[in-house]
Amino acid sequence: MPPSHSPLVRVCTLFGYDLDETALRADPRVATTDIQSARLCAVLIEHVTGITDAHLRYTISQDPDDLDGIVADTVTAIGRAWRAIAVLLATAVGVGAARQLTPTGSRDADGEPWRPAVVRISGTHGGPYPCQIGPPRWNGWDRPRFTRDVVARLMADLDAQWRRDGSLPDFLPGQLLASGDVLLLHDAGVREFVGPDDDDLFAVGAGTWNWEEWPD
C-alpha cells in the first residue's frame, strides 16, 4: 500500500492506528467540522515535527507554564492539536473507521482496552507524545505505549534536555537498539530493556515514570 498523502492519516499512525479518512468523512455520526479541524491540526503537527533546527524544535516543545508570549501560545496550540486528533481518532475507532496497526497489518480496535491519548512526563519538558493508554495505572500515573517513531522522538527530547541543563535528571536518556529493543538507563546505573509488544508498541517508562495526559 503506498504512503498516504493525508497529514491526518500519517499523524494517526503515530498513535498506532490506521485511519480510513474516506470512511470517516462518509459517516453521518461524525461532524464534518471535527474532521476539518483535525486535518488542520495534522498539518500544524507535521510542520512543527519537521523542523530541522534542533534548538528551535527544543524551544517549542517546552512546558507553557514556564514560558511567555508567542512560544507559550505555540506550545498550547500544538498540545491542543494533538489532543483534538486523539479525540477524533477515538471517535473513528468507535465507528469502525480506524483500525489498530499491527506488525502484519491492522485489525479492528473496537473492544480493545487501549485508547488514543497524548501524554507527557510530569515535571519535565518535552512532548506532547501520542500514545495508547489502558485502564491499569501505576501509583495513579498512566501506563502508555508508543510507536517506534514516537519513542525515537522521546529519546531525542530526553537527551536534549539532559545536555541543555548540564545536570542529570531523575532518569537518563535511552536509545533504540539495533535489536529492536529500547534501552533505558535509570539511576544508579540500572538498565532496563523494553521490547515491542505484539502490536510493535513500546511501554516505555510504564510503571517507572510519572506519565500524565496532556492538560487541556
Side-chain angles (χ1 to χ4, degrees):
M1 182 177 180
S4 171
H5 295 293
S6 165
L8 179 57
V9 173
R10 288 195 296 266
V11 169
C12 284
T13 64
L14 296 177
F15 288 87
Y17 292 91
D18 179 19
L19 174 69
D20 185 339
E21 191 172 355
T22 300
L24 185 66
R25 294 174 65 183
D27 196 306
R29 294 170 292 180
V30 183
T32 301
T33 52
D34 291 344
I35 299 175
Q36 292 173 339
S37 296
R39 295 177 74 184
L40 290 174
C41 288
V43 172
L44 169 64
I45 288 169
E46 286 206 325
H47 176 72
V48 171
T49 56
I51 292 174
T52 57
D53 186 320
H55 176 73
L56 177 58
R57 189 171 61 248
Y58 178 86
T59 300
I60 62 177
S61 70
Q62 301 309 290
D63 190 324
D65 293 338
D66 297 336
L67 299 169
D68 297 311
I70 191 167
V71 174
D73 292 340
T74 303
V75 173
T76 300
I78 295 169
R80 288 176 176 172
W82 278 112
R83 285 180 60 86
I85 292 179
V87 170
L88 180 73
L89 187 52
T91 299
V93 170
V95 301
R99 293 164 59 86
Q100 174 73 57
L101 285 172
T102 72
T104 57
S106 61
R107 64 162 184 268
D108 290 339
D110 188 32
E112 290 286 330
W114 304 98
R115 66 176 175 86
V118 185
V119 297
R120 67 179 181 183
I121 302 172
S122 179
T124 68
H125 301 312
Y129 302 109
C131 67
Q132 298 174 16
I133 59 176
R137 294 169 68 86
W138 171 74
N139 289 341
W141 301 102
D142 291 315
R143 296 170 59 95
R145 62 178 189 169
F146 308 90
T147 64
R148 291 175 184 271
D149 288 342
V150 175
V151 169
R153 181 160 65 89
L154 169 62
M155 297 298 102
D157 286 351
L158 294 178
D159 183 70
Q161 179 185 339
W162 178 43
R163 294 177 185 278
R164 187 181 181 91
D165 292 347
S167 60
L168 298 181
D170 292 337
F171 46 83
L172 298 180
Q175 57 182 309
L176 281 168
L177 303 177
S179 64
D181 290 346
V182 176
L183 169 63
L184 302 178
L185 301 176
H186 299 279
D187 288 341
V190 175
R191 295 188 171 207
E192 177 187 3
F193 291 90
V194 181
D197 61 19
D198 292 342
D199 294 325
D200 203 30
L201 298 173
F202 297 81
V204 175
T208 53
W209 295 351
N210 297 343
W211 287 109
E212 63 182 3
E213 287 200 65
W214 195 265
D216 292 328

